[in-house]
Amino acid sequence: SVHIVDGGLNVRSKGDVTIVNGFFHKSNKQKGLDIDSGGNIRIGNIQVDRYYDESNTGDNSAFGTVKLRARGFVTEHGDDAEVDLVADSLFVVADKGFYGLEVALNEIESIHSSEGDIEISDRDSVGETAAGLLVKNVRADIGSVTITADESLEVRGLWVGSGGNVRLVSRSGNLV
């Protein structure tokens, strides 16, 4: 586990990287998490500031950026329905795919997979002041894309290669 107050973390590895628990409190846009892996990245629970569930109250919005680069895939560590990754924005390059993660994000800057599917499920925190998900750029060269959001879903850039499918779902908001 990693717990950092008012700071960030950069990780560089030739092999796989697994973060079971990572908490980065009082971050700002310049501070967050940056992982570059020569293998796969598995995420258990990363919070770049706060996500509140039904037991908490008050206004809330995550801030800070998570950047993930994997020569393999990016996926969940374990298998549960809980939110795995909380941040303001996300940037990912995952050569073999990005799947299995439940996230609480405000925006996706970019997710790119050259050989695998991209599957992401966004949930908003209770008291979230920036409800919904803005997707700036998602690209699957060989694979399909599935994006599901609890609230509104705005997609500005999405590309899939020949034979790829696209599935976009907004459970209780607008799909733009």
Side-chain angles (χ1 to χ4, degrees), residues 41 43-44 73-85 97-103 117-121 123 146:
I41 298 174
I43 295 172
F73 55 80
V74 175
T75 191
E76 179 177 29
H77 173 72
D79 185 19
D80 60 38
E82 301 299 317
V83 170
D84 307 301
L85 174 62
F98 180 92
Y99 54 89
L101 289 171
E102 296 82 29
V103 300
D117 293 338
I118 296 171
E119 299 174 6
I120 192 162
S121 178
R123 298 194 188 144
T146 300

Side-chain angles (χ1 to χ4, degrees), residues 15-172:
D16 293 350
V17 174
T18 299
I19 295 189
V20 177
N21 289 299
F23 303 97
F24 306 88
H25 300 293
K26 296 187 180 177
S27 299
N28 61 43
K29 288 270 188 185
Q30 279 63 49
K31 297 177 183 175
L33 178 63
D34 189 333
I35 299 174
D36 191 337
S37 168
N40 304 311
I41 298 174
R42 290 180 180 85
I43 295 172
N45 180 16
I46 293 175
Q47 296 183 21
V48 181
D49 222 296
R50 289 286 188 200
Y51 172 87
Y52 291 105
D53 63 20
E54 293 80 22
S55 64
N56 296 299
T57 59
D59 289 341
N60 179 53
S61 189
F63 52 98
T65 300
V66 173
K67 296 178 181 178
L68 306 172
R69 291 171 206 83
R71 303 315 169 267
F73 55 80
V74 175
T75 191
E76 179 177 29
H77 173 72
D79 185 19
D80 60 38
E82 301 299 317
V83 170
D84 307 301
L85 174 62
V86 179
D88 176 51
S89 62
L90 178 65
F91 174 90
V92 176
V93 175
D95 291 351
K96 305 291 184 187
F98 180 92
Y99 54 89
L101 289 171
E102 296 82 29
V103 300
L105 300 168
N106 293 323
E107 64 185 40
I108 294 173
E109 288 289 335
S110 178
I111 299 177
H112 178 232
S113 174
S114 55
E115 297 181 42
D117 293 338
I118 296 171
E119 299 174 6
I120 192 162
S121 178
D122 181 68
R123 298 194 188 144
D124 278 321
S125 171
V126 171
E128 175 65 56
T129 57
L133 178 63
L134 169 62
V135 178
K136 293 183 176 177
N137 185 32
V138 171
R139 178 182 176 113
D141 295 340
I142 301 173
S144 296
V145 173
T146 300
I147 303 171
T148 304
D150 280 354
E151 299 292 334
S152 64
L153 175 59
E154 180 179 347
V155 180
R156 294 188 181 165
L158 188 142
W159 189 89
V160 295
S162 178
N165 296 307
V166 175
R167 183 170 183 251
L168 304 173
V169 177
S170 171
R171 290 191 182 107
S172 63

